[in-house]
Amino acid sequence: MAFPGARGRTKARTWLRALRPVTDADDELIIARLYQEYHDPLLAFVIRHTGGDRQWAEDIVQETMIRAWRSLDQLDAEAASLMPWLATVARRIVIDERRRRGARPQEAGEGPLEKLQTPDGMEDLLRGVVVSEALKALSPAHREVLTETVLRDRTVNEAAEVLGIPVGTVKSRVYYALRALRVVLEEMGVTP
């Protein structure tokens, strides 16, 4: 309910003065009167500042009303209207919210996460089975040298010592074993 003209300003000041000091019993009346008096004009003001986003504007108006209610004892009861104070508070809330949104990265939502594939270990298991089968097709000497250098992660010198053969022989066997393994994998339809 709007209070038009000078008579309206007097009524507005009267209800504002009548609510001081604020008590718990007055809470409901204060909120109702604030919304009744200022909701529509404040909403129109805030919609312009939120770029037409009505939902955001409603949130801003609600926060402004809460701040007005909390600060009621600090407001000027002699003022013709609370609208200048409310507009200033609302504008500051909009500015703070814009800054907050700009400082925080955009939320992606749940869509991309639903399509994200997580490794389940099956691919590694299958790769291990395929390589194991391919190793069986190699000669024992080639299989032995790859087992020591690749699977057991030994250096050429360490592999030569374990296998009891010269370092040059280990290097040569690794070279030819990898070539043979590549051929076997290609025959199995696997491309490295």
Side-chain angles (χ1 to χ4, degrees):
M1 173 173 128
F3 296 116
R7 185 169 177 241
R9 282 190 291 274
T10 304
K11 277 187 176 180
R13 276 186 255 137
T14 303
W15 75 262
L16 184 59
R17 264 189 252 123
L19 295 176
R20 294 174 194 262
V22 178
T23 64
D24 290 339
D26 296 328
D27 287 356
E28 199 170 314
L29 178 62
I30 294 169
I31 294 170
R33 290 302 299 256
L34 281 172
Y35 267 92
Q36 187 179 22
E37 280 295 306
Y38 298 106
H39 179 269
D40 292 341
L42 186 59
L43 181 62
F45 172 80
V46 174
I47 285 176
R48 287 192 304 271
H49 283 79
T50 59
D53 186 339
R54 186 175 180 91
Q55 183 177 355
W56 185 24
E58 288 282 359
D59 291 343
I60 300 297
V61 168
Q62 183 176 0
E63 178 62 26
T64 304
M65 293 296 184
I66 290 170
R67 289 185 187 185
W69 168 68
R70 288 180 179 157
S71 304
L72 196 59
D73 59 332
Q74 299 170 5
L75 297 177
D76 182 10
E78 299 300 318
S81 171
L82 292 179
M83 191 60 192
W85 187 89
L86 293 170
T88 301
V89 170
R91 187 175 57 80
R92 287 180 182 160
I93 294 170
V94 170
I95 291 168
D96 289 347
E97 183 65 27
R98 281 199 176 121
R99 286 180 183 155
R100 193 173 305 121
R101 287 180 181 180
R104 204 170 80 195
Q106 185 96 12
E107 294 176 5
E110 295 297 321
L113 294 178
E114 291 171 356
K115 296 176 184 172
L116 183 65
Q117 293 182 4
T118 57
D120 60 356
M122 186 58 76
E123 192 171 318
D124 290 336
L125 178 65
L126 290 174
R127 187 177 301 120
V129 168
V130 169
V131 170
S132 178
E133 289 298 314
L135 283 172
K136 289 179 184 175
L138 297 180
S139 70
H142 286 157
R143 189 172 41 248
E144 207 173 47
V145 78
L146 287 180
T147 300
E148 293 301 321
T149 56
V150 177
L151 299 178
R152 293 194 176 138
D153 197 27
R154 292 190 170 141
T155 64
V156 175
N157 291 340
E158 293 170 340
E161 188 176 317
V162 168
L163 296 173
I165 56 176
V167 173
T169 304
V170 172
K171 289 180 182 179
S172 174
R173 284 187 187 170
V174 167
Y175 174 79
Y176 287 109
L178 288 174
R179 284 183 66 184
L181 184 61
R182 180 173 288 128
V183 170
V184 172
L185 288 171
E186 286 174 0
E187 288 173 357
M188 294 173 72
V190 178
T191 54

